[in-house]
Amino acid sequence: MIITLEPGAPPSAVEAVVRVAERYPGVTPRPYVFKGMTETIAEVHLIGSTASVPTEPFEALPGVRRVVRVSRRYRLIGRHDPGAESVGFTCNGVRFDDRTLNVFAGLCAVDSRENVAAMMAALAALGIVTTRMGAYKPRTSPYDFQGLGKACLPWVFELAGEHGVRVIAMEVTDARQIDEIRTALERAGRPTHVMLQIGTRNAQNFELLKQVGQQREFPVLYKRGMGISLEESLNACEYVASEGTPDIVFCLRGVKTHLGDPHRNLVDFAHVPVVRRLTRLPVCIDPSHSVGRLEAGPDGLSDIFHVTGQGLIAGASMVLVDFHPRPETALCDGPQALTLDRLAGFVAYARRVRAAYDEVTAAAAAAAAIPAAAPPA
Ligand code: PEP
Ligand code: MN
């Protein structure tokens, strides 16, 4: 059972809920605070055997907005109240929520200082403060490039600081890498910050998910499992949240089936509104790993642009996308990397589609608020 308090309810209101909950044997009350876009909401979750606990004593308390019995398992990430605001967070001055648009354009895998510098300079020229930089690469073959690992972290962080990049999405494949990232950031004087990416191959690595959840310093970018159900991926995110880290972005990146051919994966961005309905997490889309190639339609727009548009018009608020100064030399995923001369166009395209989404949703909300005109007599 989840008891939601009115925004701004005093701590005494939370304490009153906890006192009532403690009257019921086998029930443990756990208070939480969720920071929405405009308001902060306190909730008390009742854990244990709540089936026979009545809702009325809680509903009667001052400051209580709503009491819901949760049969669904997404206790922490779930959107239990359809009208509830999404939970967002701020990372190193960059806001992540339903209303923002953050484009994380960058290298799939860090390969050379020169390429990282060129990528970051291109971002800085457009005022973009977010990027992706893979240092630890989970590769299908042990003979493929495995990423530069911790050796590249000092200069990647230094270059980020020089170019005003504030948040870097970086995959971790082992919990020890979190410490390596923290140490390297500290040594570099914290010139930037990192969002820990859980890749699709680790989507159900529960020990890694727990370890990532046990730290609060870095937000988490969780990539949907390529061969598991959406429900299983959402439960995996709940692991992260249940260990203590609420700052999570859910990323769709396509699912593995030959039915997506000739794309690398079957694009699953129709799930953007589903994830937003079921959870309060901001949703990211990864057009590069979904499509995996650069071909364009007869309109001249590449499939990567098209699916980006499809995800953004469906309400995604973050894009993770591969760029590379010289894709033909990239050590990982070169065939899907856009070149830097396309960065400005990509960002402008993403912003236009996002603006169209804002416009159509505002129009739909206004239409819903106006009573239908009476039919002519
Ligand atoms: C990546 O983003 O670098 C990556 C490996 O993606 P995924 O885990 O979605 O395959
Ligand atoms: Mn990749």
Side-chain angles (χ1 to χ4, degrees):
M1 187 184 289
I2 294 183
I3 296 112
T4 308
L5 287 104
E6 295 290 352
S12 58
V14 175
E15 286 156 21
V17 170
V18 169
R19 273 198 303 277
V20 172
E22 282 169 349
R23 284 191 217 146
Y24 299 95
V27 170
T28 309
R30 278 203 201 143
Y32 291 95
V33 173
F34 294 98
K35 288 194 170 60
M37 284 172 282
T38 58
E39 48 192 35
T40 296
I41 307 258
E43 288 183 358
V44 180
H45 294 198
L46 306 194
I47 316 288
S49 41
T50 56
S52 59
V53 176
T55 55
E56 293 79 10
F58 298 102
E59 283 157 351
L61 291 173
V64 168
R65 175 148 92 178
R66 201 178 146 94
V67 181
V68 280
R69 288 189 183 281
V70 275
S71 51
R72 273 183 285 154
R73 287 146 119 193
Y74 318 133
R75 192 176 273 282
L76 289 169
I77 64 168
R79 191 186 290 268
H80 305 297
D81 174 353
E85 284 194 328
S86 286
V87 177
F89 58 91
T90 302
C91 173
N92 201 20
V94 182
R95 181 75 195 156
F96 294 84
D97 61 37
D98 267 4
R99 296 188 200 176
T100 49
L101 171 62
N102 291 301
V103 177
F104 280 63
L107 306 183
C108 177
V110 171
D111 46 14
S112 72
R113 188 183 174 111
E114 185 193 4
N115 287 336
V116 171
M119 184 71 234
M120 296 216 184
L123 294 165
L126 295 170
I128 296 176
V129 296
T130 47
T131 190
R132 57 159 296 145
M133 288 287 156
Y136 308 97
K137 297 305 301 176
R139 301 303 299 278
T140 304
S141 165
Y143 308 115
D144 286 342
F145 175 62
Q146 304 286 309
L148 295 178
K150 74 173 178 185
C152 70
L153 300 181
W155 46 268
V156 170
F157 294 157
E158 177 202 318
L159 286 168
E162 276 172 26
H163 291 95
V165 169
R166 304 188 69 90
V167 187
I168 302 174
M170 185 175 280
E171 177 164 358
V172 286
T173 55
D174 184 299
R176 281 172 294 196
Q177 295 157 358
I178 306 171
D179 293 329
E180 292 176 6
I181 290 171
R182 185 182 296 112
T183 305
L185 274 174
E186 257 160 34
R187 289 205 181 126
R190 301 199 165 274
T192 185
H193 204 64
V194 167
M195 184 180 274
L196 300 177
Q197 190 174 316
I198 298 293
T200 194
R201 289 160 190 80
N202 281 307
Q204 278 189 313
N205 181 340
F206 298 114
E207 292 313 312
L208 179 62
L209 293 167
K210 284 188 211 164
Q211 304 258 10
V212 163
Q214 280 163 17
Q215 59 79 45
R216 290 291 303 265
E217 186 177 358
F218 305 110
V220 176
L221 178 62
Y222 173 88
K223 297 189 87 175
R224 179 219 181 128
M226 63 172 122
I228 57 175
S229 67
L230 185 63
E231 188 185 349
E232 287 164 328
S233 285
L234 293 175
N235 273 307
C237 268
E238 183 75 16
Y239 262 93
V240 177
S242 69
E243 292 291 331
T245 298
D247 300 343
I248 306 170
V249 177
F250 190 89
C251 181
L252 293 166
R253 48 80 71 207
V255 291
K256 198 170 181 69
T257 155
H258 70 278
L259 299 177
D261 294 355
H263 289 162
R264 182 173 176 182
N265 287 289
L266 183 66
V267 183
D268 56 350
F269 299 167
H271 277 163
V272 171
V274 180
V275 177
R276 295 188 61 217
R277 183 164 63 245
L278 295 177
T279 79
R280 296 187 276 198
L281 306 178
V283 179
C284 174
I285 47 160
D286 177 342
S288 306
H289 288 82
S290 300
V291 168
R293 49 203 288 150
L294 293 176
E295 279 91 341
D299 49 21
L301 284 186
S302 77
D303 295 6
I304 289 191
F305 275 60
H306 275 291
V307 302
T308 301
Q310 289 158 17
L312 290 174
I313 204 71
S317 52
M318 176 170 158
V319 183
L320 189 72
V321 57
D322 287 6
F323 273 78
H324 196 282
R326 287 176 300 137
E328 64 288 357
T329 67
L331 299 175
C332 182
D333 287 348
Q336 69 192 28
L338 294 160
T339 42
L340 300 188
D341 56 321
R342 305 193 67 184
L343 183 62
F346 183 85
V347 171
Y349 171 80
R351 287 185 179 146
R352 283 183 104 148
V353 181
R354 177 70 203 188
Y357 169 78
D358 291 340
E359 201 179 300
V360 292
T361 48
I370 300 167

